Amino acid sequence: MLALEGLHLAFGSLPVLAGIDLTVKPGELVVLLGPSGCGKTSLLCLAAGVEAVQGGRVANRFARTAMVFQDPRLMPWADARDNAAFGLKALGMARAERRATAEVILRRLGLSIADFGKRPAQLSGGMQQRVAIARAFALRPDLVLMDEPFSALDVGLRGDLQALLRAEVEGAGAAALFVTHDITEAVRLADRIVVLSPRPARVVADLPQQPIRIDAAPGAVFEAAAALLRRPEVAAALAAPVTTGAPLRNDPATFQSLGMPAPAR
Ligand SMILES: Nc1ncnc2c1ncn2[C@@H]1O[C@H](COP(=O)(O)OP(=O)(O)OP(=O)(O)O)[C@@H](O)[C@H]1O
């Protein structure tokens, strides 16, 4: 289990986290949803141990933690296969086995054999992000920390990668803490959604979700997002209009206000 207890963080005089309590249990996909700049990346860096704890406690009892960033951070001189295999050398795996392991995961994530030998500059943004996800899952992590890994991608591609990511997390039996400011992404992925307030961040809601089938109609995603926004504390944290009691119209303008495309009629 990952347990964050009473985390406080400030950068100089700027308070960023104001007492965060959060747990991630084995096998659970927790989405951390909050407005831009509220401190989500900082929280993830504390959980990963790359930011020093100032106040509170981080206890990570998972055996192996991997991280995926918004920017794929691939080695520009290495091909897709060597990038995906990057962490395996440190585990003492021989080169042939590293490459074979990377190929299996790259294939699962939608790369073809013709792509394995390409360097990042020869791959699209979406393919680069697939390689970054492969690099993380090649380690066979039991916890994956993800910082808005799809936010630079266009909407259609994001849907594909969300589906692949969920399959990968479930296939590995891993737990995941996934940061986003996109409510539709949150409802598509989460077993649990933890909502943060604007900076300094506090947890305003911690809500179990009925996971939506990844191939569900856009209307189902809309309904789940709307249900979340009917909670005043969530709407306030995300600076969305409070929708309590008000009928949500199933029209393109309503979808647009939620940052998602309207479903095809
Ligand atoms: N190393 C740093 N030094 C000083 N200020 C920082 C540092 N890192 C982050 N900040 C500030 O802390 C606040 C929270 O940043 P953080 O990146 O954690 O937010 P976020 O919720 O991930 O934002 P976004 O959704 O835009 O990615 C921001 O105001 C940011 O400018």
Side-chain angles (χ1 to χ4, degrees):
M1 183 159 102
L2 171 71
L4 312 180
E5 293 166 9
L7 282 186
H8 279 81
L9 183 75
F11 291 114
S13 60
L14 185 78
V16 174
L17 303 178
I20 302 283
D21 294 311
L22 175 69
T23 57
V24 181
K25 298 190 186 72
E28 202 178 26
L29 203 167
V30 178
V31 171
L32 201 54
L33 175 67
S36 231
C38 76
K40 303 183 295 298
T41 297
S42 307
L43 182 51
L44 216 59
C45 289
L46 284 167
V50 296
E51 179 77 50
V53 175
Q54 294 177 1
R57 204 169 84 94
V58 175
N60 185 354
R61 305 259 178 262
F62 286 102
R64 190 169 291 154
T65 302
M67 202 158 173
V68 183
F69 305 90
Q70 178 178 346
D71 151 16
R73 303 187 188 191
L74 302 178
M75 299 179 292
W77 61 86
D79 65 18
R81 187 168 28 211
D82 284 340
N83 266 292
F86 174 72
L88 299 176
K89 196 172 180 181
L91 299 182
M93 199 182 274
R95 181 173 160 81
E97 193 185 349
R98 292 200 301 268
R99 288 166 70 85
T101 303
E103 285 182 10
V104 169
I105 300 177
L106 286 171
R107 212 186 286 269
R108 239 179 12 235
L109 287 166
L111 270 81
S112 66
I113 211 163
D115 301 321
F116 294 168
K118 291 182 181 165
R119 285 202 287 273
Q122 299 169 292
L123 298 171
S124 68
M127 283 162 112
Q128 289 182 35
Q129 200 53 293
R130 288 171 205 252
V131 176
I133 293 169
R135 179 181 56 198
F137 280 94
L139 293 171
R140 296 180 153 273
D142 52 0
L143 174 66
V144 193
L145 303 173
M146 285 173 280
D147 189 9
E148 309 204 37
F150 308 138
S151 62
L153 307 178
D154 67 42
V155 171
L157 197 54
R158 236 186 277 176
D160 287 349
L161 283 176
Q162 285 160 355
L164 284 169
L165 176 75
R166 241 192 48 192
E168 204 59 36
V169 169
E170 281 168 13
L177 181 58
F178 185 104
V179 158
T180 184
H181 57 250
D182 177 345
I183 193 167
T184 60
E185 183 160 78
V187 299
R188 275 174 169 278
L189 288 174
D191 296 322
R192 231 172 87 217
I193 299 180
V194 175
V195 184
L196 297 180
S197 68
R199 197 188 68 233
R202 295 182 175 79
V203 174
V204 298
D206 187 338
L207 307 163
Q209 292 292 299
Q210 201 60 31
I212 290 182
R213 280 177 56 91
I214 212 79
D215 57 356
V221 177
F222 169 72
E223 280 304 330
L228 209 56
L229 288 172
R230 281 194 197 96
R231 305 177 73 100
E233 74 278 26
V234 174
L238 301 180
V242 177
T243 56
T244 314
L248 280 156
R249 293 199 322 274
N250 186 1
D251 65 12
T254 309
F255 279 82
Q256 210 166 20
S257 73
L258 289 166
M260 60 190 291
R265 290 179 187 278

